[in-house]
CSV table of all heavy atoms in Angstrom, one decimal:
chain,number,residue,atom,x,y,z
A,57,THR,N,1.7,-2.1,17.5
A,57,THR,CA,1.2,-3.3,18.1
A,57,THR,C,2.1,-3.7,19.3
A,57,THR,O,3.3,-3.4,19.2
A,57,THR,CB,1.1,-4.6,17.1
A,57,THR,OG1,0.7,-5.8,17.8
A,57,THR,CG2,2.5,-4.8,16.5
A,58,PHE,N,1.5,-4.3,20.3
A,58,PHE,CA,2.3,-4.8,21.4
A,58,PHE,C,1.7,-6.0,22.0
A,58,PHE,O,0.5,-6.3,21.9
A,58,PHE,CB,2.6,-3.8,22.5
A,58,PHE,CG,1.5,-3.3,23.2
A,58,PHE,CD1,0.9,-3.9,24.4
A,58,PHE,CD2,0.7,-2.2,23.0
A,58,PHE,CE1,-0.1,-3.5,25.1
A,58,PHE,CE2,-0.3,-1.6,23.7
A,58,PHE,CZ,-0.8,-2.3,24.8
A,59,TYR,N,2.4,-6.9,22.7
A,59,TYR,CA,2.0,-8.0,23.4
A,59,TYR,C,1.9,-7.6,24.9
A,59,TYR,O,2.8,-7.1,25.5
A,59,TYR,CB,2.8,-9.2,23.3
A,59,TYR,CG,2.3,-10.4,24.0
A,59,TYR,CD1,1.2,-11.1,23.6
A,59,TYR,CD2,2.9,-10.8,25.3
A,59,TYR,CE1,0.7,-12.2,24.3
A,59,TYR,CE2,2.4,-11.9,26.0
A,59,TYR,CZ,1.3,-12.5,25.5
A,59,TYR,OH,0.8,-13.6,26.2
A,60,ASP,N,0.8,-7.8,25.5
A,60,ASP,CA,0.4,-7.4,26.9
A,60,ASP,C,0.8,-8.7,27.8
A,60,ASP,O,0.0,-9.5,27.8
A,60,ASP,CB,-1.0,-7.0,27.0
A,60,ASP,CG,-1.4,-6.4,28.3
A,60,ASP,OD1,-0.6,-6.6,29.3
A,60,ASP,OD2,-2.4,-5.7,28.4
A,61,ARG,N,1.8,-8.6,28.4
A,61,ARG,CA,2.4,-9.6,29.4
A,61,ARG,C,1.4,-9.7,30.5
A,61,ARG,O,1.4,-10.8,31.2
A,61,ARG,CB,3.7,-9.4,29.7
A,61,ARG,CG,4.1,-8.2,30.4
A,61,ARG,CD,5.5,-7.8,30.8
A,61,ARG,NE,6.1,-8.8,31.7
A,61,ARG,CZ,7.4,-8.7,32.0
A,61,ARG,NH1,8.1,-7.9,31.4
A,61,ARG,NH2,7.8,-9.6,32.9
A,62,TYR,N,0.7,-8.7,30.9
A,62,TYR,CA,-0.1,-8.8,32.1
A,62,TYR,C,-1.4,-9.5,31.8
A,62,TYR,O,-2.0,-10.1,32.7
A,62,TYR,CB,-0.4,-7.4,32.6
A,62,TYR,CG,0.8,-6.7,33.1
A,62,TYR,CD1,1.3,-5.6,32.3
A,62,TYR,CD2,1.4,-7.0,34.2
A,62,TYR,CE1,2.5,-4.9,32.7
A,62,TYR,CE2,2.6,-6.4,34.6
A,62,TYR,CZ,3.2,-5.3,33.8
A,62,TYR,OH,4.3,-4.7,34.2
A,63,ASN,N,-1.9,-9.4,30.7
A,63,ASN,CA,-3.2,-10.1,30.3
A,63,ASN,C,-3.1,-11.2,29.3
A,63,ASN,O,-4.1,-11.6,28.8
A,63,ASN,CB,-4.2,-9.0,29.8
A,63,ASN,CG,-4.5,-8.0,30.9
A,63,ASN,OD1,-5.0,-8.2,31.9
A,63,ASN,ND2,-3.9,-6.8,30.8
A,64,GLN,N,-1.8,-11.4,28.7
A,64,GLN,CA,-1.5,-12.4,27.7
A,64,GLN,C,-2.3,-12.4,26.5
A,64,GLN,O,-3.1,-13.2,26.0
A,64,GLN,CB,-1.7,-13.8,28.3
A,64,GLN,CG,-0.8,-14.2,29.4
A,64,GLN,CD,-1.2,-13.6,30.8
A,64,GLN,OE1,-2.2,-13.9,31.2
A,64,GLN,NE2,-0.2,-12.9,31.5
A,65,ARG,N,-2.4,-11.1,26.0
A,65,ARG,CA,-3.1,-10.8,24.7
A,65,ARG,C,-2.4,-9.9,23.9
A,65,ARG,O,-1.5,-9.2,24.3
A,65,ARG,CB,-4.4,-10.1,25.1
A,65,ARG,CG,-5.3,-10.9,25.9
A,65,ARG,CD,-6.7,-10.3,26.1
A,65,ARG,NE,-7.6,-11.0,27.0
A,65,ARG,CZ,-9.0,-10.9,27.0
A,65,ARG,NH1,-9.5,-10.2,26.0
A,65,ARG,NH2,-9.7,-11.5,27.8
A,66,PHE,N,-2.6,-9.9,22.6
A,66,PHE,CA,-2.1,-8.9,21.6
A,66,PHE,C,-3.0,-7.7,21.4
A,66,PHE,O,-4.2,-7.9,21.4
A,66,PHE,CB,-1.9,-9.7,20.2
A,66,PHE,CG,-0.8,-10.7,20.2
A,66,PHE,CD1,-1.1,-12.0,20.5
A,66,PHE,CD2,0.6,-10.3,19.9
A,66,PHE,CE1,0.0,-13.0,20.3
A,66,PHE,CE2,1.5,-11.3,19.9
A,66,PHE,CZ,1.3,-12.6,20.1
A,67,TRP,N,-2.4,-6.5,21.2
A,67,TRP,CA,-3.1,-5.3,20.9
A,67,TRP,C,-2.6,-4.8,19.6
A,67,TRP,O,-1.4,-5.0,19.3
A,67,TRP,CB,-2.7,-4.2,21.9
A,67,TRP,CG,-3.4,-4.4,23.3
A,67,TRP,CD1,-2.8,-5.3,24.3
A,67,TRP,CD2,-4.5,-3.9,23.9
A,67,TRP,NE1,-3.5,-5.2,25.4
A,67,TRP,CE2,-4.5,-4.4,25.4
A,67,TRP,CE3,-5.4,-3.0,23.5
A,67,TRP,CZ2,-5.6,-4.0,26.2
A,67,TRP,CZ3,-6.4,-2.6,24.4
A,67,TRP,CH2,-6.5,-3.1,25.7
A,68,VAL,N,-3.5,-4.4,18.8
A,68,VAL,CA,-3.1,-3.7,17.5
A,68,VAL,C,-3.9,-2.4,17.3
A,68,VAL,O,-5.1,-2.4,17.8
A,68,VAL,CB,-3.5,-4.7,16.3
A,68,VAL,CG1,-3.4,-3.9,15.0
A,68,VAL,CG2,-2.8,-6.0,16.4
A,69,LEU,N,-3.2,-1.5,16.8
A,69,LEU,CA,-3.7,-0.1,16.6
A,69,LEU,C,-3.5,0.4,15.2
A,69,LEU,O,-2.4,0.2,14.8
A,69,LEU,CB,-3.2,0.9,17.6
A,69,LEU,CG,-3.5,2.4,17.3
A,69,LEU,CD1,-5.0,2.8,17.6
A,69,LEU,CD2,-2.5,3.3,18.1
A,70,TYR,N,-4.5,0.9,14.5
A,70,TYR,CA,-4.3,1.5,13.2
A,70,TYR,C,-5.2,2.8,13.3
A,70,TYR,O,-6.3,2.9,13.5
A,70,TYR,CB,-4.8,0.7,12.1
A,70,TYR,CG,-3.9,-0.3,11.5
A,70,TYR,CD1,-3.8,-1.6,12.1
A,70,TYR,CD2,-3.2,-0.1,10.3
A,70,TYR,CE1,-2.9,-2.5,11.5
A,70,TYR,CE2,-2.4,-1.1,9.7
A,70,TYR,CZ,-2.3,-2.4,10.4
A,70,TYR,OH,-1.4,-3.3,9.9
A,71,PRO,N,-4.6,4.0,12.9
A,71,PRO,CA,-5.4,5.1,12.6
A,71,PRO,C,-6.1,5.0,11.4
A,71,PRO,O,-5.6,4.2,10.4
A,71,PRO,CB,-4.4,6.3,12.6
A,71,PRO,CG,-3.1,5.7,13.1
A,71,PRO,CD,-3.1,4.3,12.9
A,72,ALA,N,-7.2,5.6,11.2
A,72,ALA,CA,-8.0,5.5,10.0
A,72,ALA,C,-8.7,6.8,9.7
A,72,ALA,O,-9.2,7.5,10.5
A,72,ALA,CB,-9.2,4.4,10.2
A,73,ILE,N,-8.7,7.3,8.4
A,73,ILE,CA,-9.4,8.3,7.8
A,73,ILE,C,-10.7,7.9,7.3
A,73,ILE,O,-10.7,7.0,6.5
A,73,ILE,CB,-8.5,9.1,6.7
A,73,ILE,CG1,-7.1,9.3,7.4
A,73,ILE,CG2,-9.1,10.2,6.3
A,73,ILE,CD1,-7.0,10.3,8.5
A,74,LEU,N,-11.7,8.7,7.7
A,74,LEU,CA,-13.1,8.2,7.4
A,74,LEU,C,-13.4,8.3,5.9
A,74,LEU,O,-13.8,7.4,5.2
A,74,LEU,CB,-14.1,8.9,8.2
A,74,LEU,CG,-15.6,8.6,7.9
A,74,LEU,CD1,-15.8,7.1,8.2
A,74,LEU,CD2,-16.5,9.5,8.7
A,75,ASN,N,-13.1,9.5,5.3
A,75,ASN,CA,-13.4,9.8,3.9
A,75,ASN,C,-12.4,10.8,3.3
A,75,ASN,O,-11.5,11.3,3.9
A,75,ASN,CB,-14.8,10.2,3.8
A,75,ASN,CG,-15.1,11.4,4.5
A,75,ASN,OD1,-14.4,12.4,4.5
A,75,ASN,ND2,-16.3,11.3,5.2
A,76,SER,N,-12.6,11.1,2.0
A,76,SER,CA,-11.5,11.9,1.3
A,76,SER,C,-11.5,13.4,1.8
A,76,SER,O,-10.7,14.0,1.4
A,76,SER,CB,-11.9,11.8,-0.2
A,76,SER,OG,-13.0,12.2,-0.5
A,77,SER,N,-12.5,13.8,2.6
A,77,SER,CA,-12.4,15.2,3.2
A,77,SER,C,-11.4,15.3,4.2
A,77,SER,O,-11.0,16.5,4.6
A,77,SER,CB,-13.7,15.5,3.7
A,77,SER,OG,-14.0,14.9,4.9
A,78,TRP,N,-10.8,14.3,4.8
A,78,TRP,CA,-9.9,14.2,5.8
A,78,TRP,C,-10.2,15.1,7.0
A,78,TRP,O,-9.5,15.8,7.8
A,78,TRP,CB,-8.5,14.7,5.3
A,78,TRP,CG,-7.8,13.9,4.3
A,78,TRP,CD1,-8.2,13.7,3.0
A,78,TRP,CD2,-6.7,13.0,4.5
A,78,TRP,NE1,-7.3,12.8,2.5
A,78,TRP,CE2,-6.4,12.3,3.5
A,78,TRP,CE3,-6.0,12.7,5.6
A,78,TRP,CZ2,-5.5,11.4,3.3
A,78,TRP,CZ3,-5.0,11.7,5.6
A,78,TRP,CH2,-4.8,11.1,4.4
A,79,GLN,N,-11.6,15.2,7.4
A,79,GLN,CA,-12.2,15.9,8.4
A,79,GLN,C,-12.6,15.0,9.6
A,79,GLN,O,-13.2,15.4,10.5
A,79,GLN,CB,-13.3,16.7,8.0
A,79,GLN,CG,-12.9,17.9,7.0
A,79,GLN,CD,-14.1,18.7,6.7
A,79,GLN,OE1,-15.2,18.3,6.8
A,79,GLN,NE2,-13.8,19.9,6.1
A,80,LYS,N,-12.4,13.6,9.5
A,80,LYS,CA,-12.7,12.8,10.6
A,80,LYS,C,-11.9,11.6,10.6
A,80,LYS,O,-11.6,10.9,9.5
A,80,LYS,CB,-14.2,12.3,10.5
A,80,LYS,CG,-14.7,11.4,11.6
A,80,LYS,CD,-14.7,12.0,12.9
A,80,LYS,CE,-15.7,13.2,13.0
A,80,LYS,NZ,-15.7,13.8,14.4
Side-chain angles (χ1 to χ4, degrees):
T57 181
F58 67 85
Y59 180 75
D60 189 339
R61 59 189 288 178
Y62 297 107
N63 301 291
Q64 295 80 53
R65 300 191 187 200
F66 287 94
W67 294 79
V68 172
L69 166 74
Y70 276 83
I73 306 299
L74 181 61
N75 54 47
S76 59
S77 72
W78 292 78
Q79 292 185 342
K80 180 63 69 177

